[in-house]
Amino acid sequence: MVLATSAVRLASRRIACSPATRRAFASNARQESAPSKALPFLAAAGLAVGASQIVSSENKTYNLTKDDVLDKEKWKHFFESYYNSVINFATKETEDKFAAYWPRNILILFGPPGAGKGTHGPKIEDMLNIPQLSTGDMLRAAVSAKTEVGLKAKAVMAAGGLVSDEIVVGIIRDRITEEDCRFGFILDGFPRTLVQAKALDKMLAEEGACVTKVIELEVPDSVLEERICGRWIHKQSGRSYHIKYAPPKTMKSLADGSPDPASMFDDETGEPLMQRPDDTAAALIKRLKGYHKETVPILKHYAPNGVVKSVNANQGMDGVW
């Protein structure tokens, strides 16, 4: 940002408020930019007060000659820099107020295995400009960063135990304090039970927040087997492929029409893809039973708040969106 001496700023304000200047700026909307049209007035302001220096935001002083004051390009640079700094300041101030006083957009994405959470989640993330948080990723990051909660989780896993809801909620609490979550976040994979949902609500209430939207991706159980058994994933990024609906570019088929495992590579990195051990027809039956028994009641928990929205995910991408 560039700042003029106080005399220049005062004269500039007076000229900016004059009828001639207002007419010039009004005309700019149809002709040229405000900074360019205002240059003669700014130059006049500088001459009127005998401007002698410009001070940069780094507190460097630049002496001005009479020719400098009349230099259109120098005034253009000054005015545009000052104008942009004001806009940036106002934008930042508005963002800070929004983050402080407006409820964060906290969204939970639900759906049975194969419903398309891995496909639609990133699109929602891009649309709302808030991060999608996976409990698995957060857990690994906390352990790697050796946070207090991460060390607790590491000790439990090293002993062969299951990480408690309290630890998972603590990991989420730490993660949502980061800058990218200031306007909200998307939870994927948590909560999975009603107990977890209530623990999440309690934690968010302590932070002055609450769940603002729950999206359920609906797909009939009969459709899910084809989706699940044809799914391949890139382990490092979580990118998901399907041998029928979204095959990798490298996929080749064997004589029986099934994909050749040796040809399954990630489109972006070229790294091998894998199938999850539980992406089988037998495992799906058990997973769906657990989903309907434990996860669906969470929807009933949030329904009275008017935040639950069910979406038919048994259709093409355009239909879902």
Side-chain angles (χ1 to χ4, degrees):
M1 183 176 74
V2 180
L3 300 174
T5 60
S6 59
V8 173
R9 292 199 298 272
L10 179 58
S12 298
R13 289 192 196 102
R14 288 173 177 169
I15 292 177
C17 294
S18 71
T21 306
R22 287 198 294 269
R23 285 195 297 273
F25 273 89
S27 174
N28 291 336
R30 299 184 299 273
Q31 299 177 17
E32 55 184 301
S33 67
S36 297
K37 196 71 175 182
L39 293 177
F41 300 103
L42 288 171
L47 288 173
V49 299
S52 60
Q53 59 183 221
I54 290 179
V55 183
S56 73
S57 57
E58 293 82 14
N59 292 324
K60 294 180 181 178
T61 300
Y62 301 92
N63 293 322
L64 298 176
T65 65
K66 182 178 179 180
D67 290 337
D68 290 330
V69 174
L70 293 173
D71 190 324
K72 182 176 179 179
E73 288 302 315
K74 279 191 166 72
W75 277 107
K76 180 179 179 181
H77 174 70
F78 159 70
F79 186 74
E80 288 182 345
S81 298
Y82 187 78
Y83 178 80
N84 289 335
S85 71
V86 171
I87 295 299
N88 291 337
F89 176 80
T91 301
K92 180 65 165 57
E93 187 177 42
T94 300
E95 288 180 348
D96 290 343
K97 287 182 179 178
F98 187 92
Y101 301 113
W102 194 259
R104 283 195 289 181
N105 197 354
I106 300 175
L107 186 151
I108 302 176
L109 189 60
F110 279 113
K117 297 188 295 295
T119 299
H120 299 295
K123 286 178 66 67
I124 299 173
E125 185 177 21
D126 290 342
M127 181 181 70
L128 299 179
N129 196 29
I130 57 177
Q132 180 178 0
L133 307 181
S134 162
T135 49
D137 291 342
M138 287 187 286
L139 180 59
R140 287 186 287 272
V143 170
S144 177
K146 297 182 180 180
T147 65
E148 181 180 351
V149 187
L151 291 175
K152 290 180 180 179
K154 183 178 181 180
V156 171
M157 291 187 292
L162 294 176
V163 178
S164 67
D165 293 344
E166 180 182 1
I167 291 177
V168 174
V169 170
I171 289 173
I172 295 174
R173 184 198 299 272
D174 288 348
R175 176 64 179 85
I176 64 177
T177 61
E178 296 183 22
E179 179 67 16
D180 62 341
C181 293
R182 65 192 303 232
F183 295 121
F185 50 89
I186 304 165
L187 285 175
D188 176 15
F190 190 90
R192 292 183 182 273
T193 68
L194 187 57
V195 172
Q196 291 177 349
K198 292 180 178 179
L200 175 66
D201 291 346
K202 182 174 182 292
M203 183 272 288
L204 291 175
E206 292 170 353
E207 301 292 321
C210 66
V211 174
T212 57
K213 183 64 67 177
V214 176
I215 296 180
E216 178 197 15
L217 300 176
E218 293 183 322
V219 179
D221 290 358
S222 59
V223 176
L224 294 172
E225 182 176 344
E226 181 183 44
R227 289 192 177 187
I228 286 291
C229 297
R231 184 168 65 182
W232 289 70
I233 64 167
H234 179 240
K235 185 176 181 180
Q236 285 72 20
S237 68
R239 278 186 291 276
S240 181
Y241 298 86
H242 193 278
I243 60 174
K244 180 179 179 180
Y245 303 110
K249 297 175 181 177
T250 56
M251 188 184 83
K252 296 180 180 179
S253 298
L254 299 173
D256 61 359
S258 63
D260 181 0
S263 69
M264 305 297 280
F265 296 96
D266 179 48
D267 287 347
E268 295 189 20
T269 66
E271 296 173 342
L273 301 178
M274 61 166 287
Q275 281 191 296
R276 292 171 177 159
D278 56 355
D279 278 356
T280 64
L284 177 62
I285 295 174
K286 183 177 180 181
R287 293 170 68 188
L288 287 176
K289 184 178 180 180
Y291 174 78
H292 292 303
K293 180 181 178 180
E294 297 183 340
T295 307
V296 171
I298 300 174
L299 302 176
K300 296 181 179 179
H301 169 68
Y302 286 112
N305 299 339
V307 298
V308 177
K309 175 67 175 179
S310 296
V311 178
N312 176 15
N314 187 29
Q315 54 184 322
M317 182 71 74
D318 291 342
V320 174
W321 283 82

